[in-house]
Amino acid sequence: MHPAELAQMYLDHLKVERGLSPNSTTAYRRDLARYAAYLADRGIADVASVSERDIAGFLAELRAGGPQRPALAASSTARAVVAVRGMHRFAVREGIAGSDPAAEVRPPTPPRRLPHALPIDDVLALLEAAAFDGTPKAMRDAALLEFLYGTGARVSEAVGLDVDDLDLAAAAVKLAGKGGKDRVVPIGSYALAAIDAYLVRGRPALVGRGSGRAALFLNMRGGRLSRQSAWTILREVADRAGVRATVGPHSLRHSFATHLLDGGADVRVVQELLGHASVTTTQVYTLVTVDRLREVYATSHPRARD
């Protein structure tokens, strides 16, 4: 079977039978298309002819890059290798190939990158700058940012919300996390007030402009707000607030987790709030907190340094 044909079969399997998210499916599709093109350039038209050396060569090319393809970071290369390994396991399981040439190929270990949390003063400046003029857009922006910081939701989870996912009486929201794992998290009083103001005075002015009636966060045309638009809102508000720290799509999520741990929250509780499958993922935030404690100790304790 041709590698490109197998790739499509594997993607269909991931989407239908494994419930892979649309974002992950898109990334896998891109990685496997690159892999199929790599094999085609070497005249390999049958997946049964692929060797471990071919896959190792693909890995090396991803890391080295070339005139037409820039080098990938270790994290992106690791994801691509995971996609390739999964496809070859699928081929063996389905009887398309007799052996798995990718079984011994290991993805590179990405360097550990600590999540970047904003200082509390920067977060407060962001939230104050969001609702600067009381227009429907400003109320939506304030509700969105208060929600992201108040719940620790991923941007994709926030923009995927429907109004019915909110339980304002219980001050809680149901979030659809990765892998189809739903979780219910509390909504803080500031976020609750911002959402209430948006629902009463902001959202009605937007909902009549389009067909996104179920969506909580609407764009200016009345449709569901996209991840890209939410990211643009965050950048615009950061510029208006004069926040000089680096701001990314998950800055408020990272800040939520770090500030909770700084305040004494148990890491297991933070794990549940963030929707992490493993506490190991959440423990990365404890490293940020330890760095902060070390900094405070070094500057405050009379015997910490010469």
Side-chain angles (χ1 to χ4, degrees):
M1 178 179 288
H2 194 279
E5 184 181 355
L6 174 62
Q8 186 57 56
M9 284 183 61
Y10 179 53
L11 288 167
D12 291 341
H13 162 75
L14 291 176
K15 183 177 179 180
V16 176
E17 299 184 32
R18 299 282 297 278
L20 196 68
S21 72
N23 294 335
S24 296
T25 300
T26 299
Y28 270 45
R29 187 181 304 279
R30 184 169 55 248
D31 293 334
L32 294 177
R34 185 182 286 122
Y35 178 55
Y38 171 86
L39 296 177
D41 288 345
R42 281 147 187 78
I44 300 173
D46 188 343
V47 70
S49 301
V50 177
S51 68
E52 181 178 330
R53 178 176 294 181
D54 295 322
I55 300 172
F58 175 62
L59 171 59
E61 182 177 285
L62 291 179
R63 296 293 285 131
Q68 304 299 324
R69 296 170 182 155
L72 295 185
S75 57
S76 298
T77 303
R79 185 200 62 223
V81 174
V82 167
V84 169
R85 281 167 53 90
M87 187 182 79
H88 281 286
R89 281 198 303 271
F90 174 77
V92 172
R93 191 165 61 246
E94 295 296 312
I96 298 169
S99 61
D100 181 358
E104 300 302 320
V105 178
R106 295 289 179 265
T109 302
R112 170 170 279 184
R113 293 188 299 174
L114 296 181
H116 178 72
L118 298 172
I120 293 178
D121 287 346
D122 281 355
V123 173
L124 296 179
L126 272 173
L127 299 178
E128 183 177 347
F132 74 106
D133 65 358
T135 61
K137 179 183 184 302
M139 283 188 280
R140 179 206 62 193
D141 294 352
L144 173 65
L145 299 193
E146 286 279 10
F147 180 83
L148 290 171
Y149 180 60
T151 63
R154 300 175 178 91
V155 171
S156 58
E157 292 171 343
V159 299
L161 280 175
D162 290 340
V163 174
D164 288 345
D165 293 323
L166 294 171
D167 186 343
L168 298 181
V173 62
K174 183 177 74 173
L175 297 174
K178 290 184 175 180
K181 296 179 180 179
D182 293 346
R183 68 188 188 279
V184 176
V185 301
I187 305 175
S189 60
Y190 286 89
L192 203 62
I195 291 170
D196 185 63
Y198 164 64
L199 288 175
V200 174
R201 302 195 303 276
R203 189 175 177 278
L206 301 178
V207 72
R209 303 177 184 179
S211 57
R213 297 185 182 278
L216 173 59
F217 295 111
L218 301 176
N219 59 32
M220 299 309 293
R221 298 180 303 278
R224 185 181 294 275
L225 194 69
S226 67
R227 288 185 306 144
Q228 292 77 10
S229 295
W231 168 215
T232 299
I233 290 168
L234 182 57
R235 284 186 299 182
E236 289 176 349
V237 172
D239 288 343
R240 190 161 62 243
V243 172
R244 298 183 179 277
T246 302
V247 176
H250 288 323
S251 289
L252 293 178
R253 176 174 165 85
H254 296 329
S255 302
F256 166 86
T258 302
H259 297 167
L260 275 174
L261 291 167
D262 281 343
D266 184 87
V267 67
R268 292 283 184 179
V269 174
V270 178
Q271 175 194 357
E272 291 296 324
L273 292 171
L274 293 176
H276 286 159
S278 169
V279 73
T280 303
T281 307
T282 316
Q283 284 173 334
V284 174
Y285 291 99
T286 67
L287 301 178
V288 178
T289 300
V290 169
D291 284 346
R292 172 62 180 157
L293 292 175
R294 188 179 292 114
E295 178 186 343
V296 172
Y297 173 77
T299 57
S300 305
H301 196 282
R303 305 287 284 181
R305 57 181 180 175
D306 295 336

